């Protein structure tokens, strides 16, 4: 049982490190994409949707950014 628990703990730690690393890579890639998109489209401010009370639907760039992200990270 102790051996099993030790292996389980090791694998969980390995998985968590891998997940954190991949998340960090994804965030870095998104930041680069957002910066480039904002420059190319003359956008001076990008805000997370959850912090917006009300806005025109045309201001949402989520789908465009996701298309670029998916294209670059296949």
């Amino acid at each position: 049982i102790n051996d099993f628990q030790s292996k389980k703990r090791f694998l969980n730690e390995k998985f968590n490190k891998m997940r954190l690393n991949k998340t960090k890579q994804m965030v870095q890639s998104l930041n680069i994409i957002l910066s480039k998109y904002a420059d190319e489209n003359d956008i001076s401010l990008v805000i997370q949707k959850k912090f917006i009370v009300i806005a025109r639907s045309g201001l949402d760039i989520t789908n465009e950014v996701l298309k670029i992200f998916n294209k670059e990270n296949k």
Side-chain angles (χ1 to χ4, degrees):
I1 293 175
N2 288 337
D3 187 43
F4 172 75
Q5 289 175 339
S6 176
K7 287 179 182 179
K8 179 182 172 188
R9 191 175 14 250
F10 172 76
L11 289 174
N12 279 336
E13 288 174 7
K14 185 177 175 181
F15 175 75
N16 285 334
K17 285 179 184 178
M18 185 172 53
R19 184 173 51 104
L20 286 173
N21 186 35
K22 293 297 180 183
T23 301
K24 182 180 174 184
Q25 290 174 358
M26 187 176 92
V27 168
Q28 288 173 342
S29 179
L30 276 173
N31 282 336
I32 292 168
I33 291 168
L34 282 170
S35 294
K36 185 177 177 183
Y37 186 88
D39 286 341
E40 290 173 353
N41 293 284
D42 197 30
I43 297 173
S44 58
L45 180 65
V46 177
I47 302 173
Q48 286 184 3
K49 208 185 281 190
K50 66 182 177 182
F51 295 118
I52 297 175
V53 177
I54 191 165
R56 287 190 346 246
S57 61
L59 297 175
D60 187 1
I61 62 170
T62 304
N63 289 332
E64 292 86 5
V65 171
L66 283 175
K67 286 178 188 175
I68 296 168
F69 178 81
N70 288 333
K71 193 182 285 186
E72 290 185 7
N73 292 288
K74 282 189 177 185

